[in-house]
Amino acid sequence: GWACWKTYVGRPETDEVRVHAMAFLGNGLSAAKYHDEALSVKEALLSTYRRVGAPEGHMLGQMGEIATSYHMLGRFETSNRLYRDVYSGRLRLDGEGHEETLLAATNYATALLALGRYEEGKSLLRKTIPASQRTLGESNEITLGLRCNYALALYEDPDATLDDLSEAV
């Protein structure tokens, strides 16, 4: 992480290798559970993307990385807002059945469930699961993740009915 960053830090902001080194550093810090430090690097990378006019997809991906850091720091409200923005951006940019959109939906649903917002999570998942099944298939990892989140939303909800619990299993 740091060695890679130190090697390329002197290059211009628009240099692709420098940008990858910065992303590598942020991911390495996250993997080592230095989430505060990772957050700083990830926010700096998003700022760089904005300054150099990176494609919207790159910025949305980086916003998702930042949201994950906030989630790991227990800052669920902030994480949820970012995941919602990423999901909305992906819907607009890629459409409802695109893999990136469905992955963003998985992350957004996870954030909603972490906040105990089960009805919102179920509503989102009821829309996205059929799109994922249609475009990615029943056994795709993202489809399975969406279905797993739906089961969690059903059985973790304190207001769950017997029918909800039955549907969850």
Side-chain angles (χ1 to χ4, degrees), residues 70-136:
Y70 279 122
H71 191 87
M72 297 306 291
L73 290 167
R75 294 175 60 184
F76 300 122
E77 285 290 344
T78 304
S79 173
N80 182 63
R81 280 192 300 276
L82 281 168
Y83 280 134
R84 180 198 61 222
D85 293 347
V86 171
Y87 174 64
S88 296
R90 286 290 177 192
L91 264 176
R92 186 177 24 77
L93 185 66
D94 300 320
E96 74 170 4
H98 192 277
E99 187 172 355
E100 291 292 335
T101 304
L102 295 166
L103 187 56
T106 302
N107 292 335
Y108 182 31
T110 300
L112 287 168
L113 299 182
L115 290 168
R117 292 164 60 178
Y118 302 106
E119 288 305 317
E120 288 177 74
K122 286 186 275 190
S123 176
L124 171 66
L125 292 162
R126 283 186 195 112
K127 289 187 299 191
T128 55
I129 290 170
S132 188
Q133 290 169 325
R134 206 173 32 255
T135 58
L136 302 178

Side-chain angles (χ1 to χ4, degrees), residues 32-86:
K33 300 191 185 338
Y34 290 102
H35 300 295
D36 281 315
E37 294 84 352
L39 178 59
S40 294
V41 172
K42 291 173 181 184
E43 287 176 331
L45 183 53
L46 179 60
S47 180
T48 299
Y49 280 163
R50 288 180 173 142
R51 275 193 307 280
V52 303
E56 185 176 4
H58 287 56
M59 288 191 266
L60 290 170
Q62 194 57 32
M63 287 170 61
E65 291 288 331
I66 292 166
T68 299
S69 289
Y70 279 122
H71 191 87
M72 297 306 291
L73 290 167
R75 294 175 60 184
F76 300 122
E77 285 290 344
T78 304
S79 173
N80 182 63
R81 280 192 300 276
L82 281 168
Y83 280 134
R84 180 198 61 222
D85 293 347
V86 171

